[in-house]
Amino acid sequence: MGDKGGDNHSEVTDFILVGIRVRPELHSLLFLLFLIIYGMVLLGNLSMIGIIVTDPRLNTAMYFFLGNLSIIDLSYSTVIVPKAMVNILSQKKTISFAGCVAQLFLYALFMVTEAFVLAAMAYDRFIAICSPLLYSVRMSRSVCIQLVAGSYLCGWVSSILQISVTFSMSFCASRVIDHFYCDSNPMEKISCSNTFMNKMVSFSLAVLIILPTIIVIIVSYMYIVSTVLKIRSSEGRKKVFSTCSSHLGVVSLLYGTVSFVYLTPPNNTELRKVASVCYILFTPMLNPLIYSLRNKDVKDAMRKVLQKKKVLL
């Protein structure tokens, strides 16, 4: 079915995803946990998208980025979680070669896109707070669309490079991936090829993605803090910090969990899997909550929707 000891990766027609190792009697509980959290991811992000699209008061740059962030969160969870849930209850924990390629491509695409969208959101807050008179010009609808399109382009290019080097390797050593989705690191371990080029490309991509986005976020918030400290009104300072704290919370959540995964020792595979669950399930679930609980405009829009439903009932 899979590899026959040949030298070419094309002889592998499928892979086996080991998943999260738990006792057999806990499989149903793990499936239920994934189902509940994924349901909350769907509900939270679809609600956020619906509110932003339907409420004219949220027709601003910040909410345009927030809507795209919800689409991205929903997308990369959906790329991985449904297949992982099927494999939890299945004896045959396989994924086709084409399915593995598609999963890694889409996962990398949305993760990289999210990093750049978060940087664009930091820049948006910087312009709104530090140059409010120029905000409508510098953050016009066309500029916002260009920033999001550029984020997706960066994600697409990095994904193409990642899958090109990953699937140019030969998988004659094994077809068993010790993870619950297709990722480049565990796939290197089952390759019988020299993985030096793959490691170098992965490292280079990480540097080219993380450094620019982190620099934009840090520099933007340095200017924001400097500007806020000049505001004499404590109420004004509180309002600005309240607006920015949601974004900082989302940034910390994503970068914290992703860093934990890739800084965890490679031999501790189960800990890496648990950390992966955090940014694949918990981060997309918490992002809408962070923005809805900390943002007055979103709370008002949600209240308006609920009132309409009461009237209809």
Side-chain angles (χ1 to χ4, degrees):
M1 182 191 295
D3 86 74
K4 299 176 182 177
D7 294 326
N8 197 305
H9 69 274
S10 62
E11 291 185 16
V12 177
T13 58
D14 62 7
F15 294 99
I16 297 169
L17 295 170
V18 172
I20 299 171
R21 288 188 175 91
V22 295
R23 295 196 300 272
E25 60 268 25
L26 294 177
H27 283 169
S28 298
L29 186 62
L30 184 63
F31 176 85
L32 187 62
L33 179 67
F34 270 54
L35 180 64
I36 291 169
I37 298 172
Y38 182 58
M40 292 175 72
V41 170
L42 291 173
L43 180 63
N45 286 287
L46 287 173
S47 298
M48 185 66 75
I49 294 164
I51 288 166
I52 290 168
V53 169
T54 56
D55 196 310
R57 292 175 300 174
L58 304 183
N59 189 21
T60 64
M62 184 175 81
Y63 296 108
F64 175 74
F65 291 128
L66 183 54
N68 277 280
L69 186 68
S70 287
I71 292 169
I72 293 164
D73 282 343
L74 191 62
S75 299
Y76 74 72
S77 281
T78 301
V79 165
I80 291 170
V81 178
K83 181 62 180 174
M85 288 169 61
V86 169
N87 283 350
I88 288 170
L89 299 180
S90 174
Q91 293 295 322
K92 185 184 176 185
K93 303 177 186 296
T94 57
I95 184 170
S96 67
F97 186 88
C100 195
V101 174
Q103 192 179 66
L104 179 57
F105 173 80
L106 291 170
Y107 165 70
L109 166 65
F110 291 120
M111 286 298 292
V112 173
T113 302
E114 178 155 14
F116 282 98
V117 168
L118 287 172
M121 291 173 78
Y123 176 71
D124 169 69
R125 291 299 83 207
F126 159 69
I127 297 296
I129 294 163
C130 300
S131 304
L133 297 177
L134 298 172
Y135 183 75
S136 59
V137 176
R138 292 191 180 178
M139 296 306 296
S140 63
R141 188 72 172 179
S142 61
V143 171
C144 293
I145 291 169
Q146 286 169 25
L147 286 170
V148 170
S151 299
Y152 274 99
L153 179 63
C154 291
W156 186 81
V157 170
S158 66
S159 296
I160 289 290
L161 290 170
Q162 187 66 70
I163 64 166
S164 296
V165 294
T166 300
F167 291 98
S168 64
M169 297 188 297
S170 296
F171 299 106
C172 50
S174 173
R175 51 187 256 270
V176 179
I177 301 172
D178 192 7
H179 215 317
F180 61 91
Y181 64 93
C182 293
D183 195 14
S184 57
N185 283 343
M187 293 187 76
E188 285 176 11
K189 294 178 182 178
I190 64 169
S191 172
C192 51
S193 304
N194 187 333
T195 60
F196 175 76
M197 184 57 70
N198 193 60
K199 290 179 188 294
M200 286 303 297
V201 170
S202 297
F203 177 76
S204 301
L205 286 173
V207 170
L208 290 170
I209 293 159
I210 293 170
L211 274 183
T213 54
I214 286 290
I215 287 169
V216 169
I217 291 167
I218 291 172
V219 171
S220 295
Y221 276 99
M222 284 173 64
Y223 277 102
I224 288 169
V225 170
S226 175
T227 302
V228 170
L229 292 176
K230 294 173 186 176
I231 299 173
R232 292 181 181 180
S233 164
S234 60
E235 189 63 33
R237 284 198 298 269
K238 185 181 176 183
K239 186 178 179 181
V240 173
F241 276 127
S242 177
T243 304
C244 296
S245 61
S246 299
H247 178 255
L248 279 174
V250 170
V251 169
S252 303
L253 197 60
L254 178 71
Y255 280 97
T257 50
V258 170
S259 300
F260 183 74
V261 169
Y262 292 101
L263 293 176
T264 302
N267 57 339
N268 200 334
T269 54
E270 293 310 305
L271 189 59
R272 279 194 165 201
K273 290 175 194 177
V274 172
S276 297
V277 170
C278 289
Y279 70 78
I280 289 167
L281 271 173
F282 286 99
T283 300
M285 177 188 73
L286 292 173
N287 284 354
L289 289 174
I290 291 170
Y291 274 102
S292 61
L293 293 174
R294 298 284 301 175
N295 191 295
K296 185 178 180 297
D297 292 335
V298 174
K299 283 193 284 188
D300 288 344
M302 288 176 72
R303 201 174 292 117
K304 188 178 172 183
V305 170
L306 291 172
Q307 285 172 351
K308 279 184 178 178
K309 283 187 176 181
K310 283 182 181 178
V311 170
L312 290 171
L313 291 171

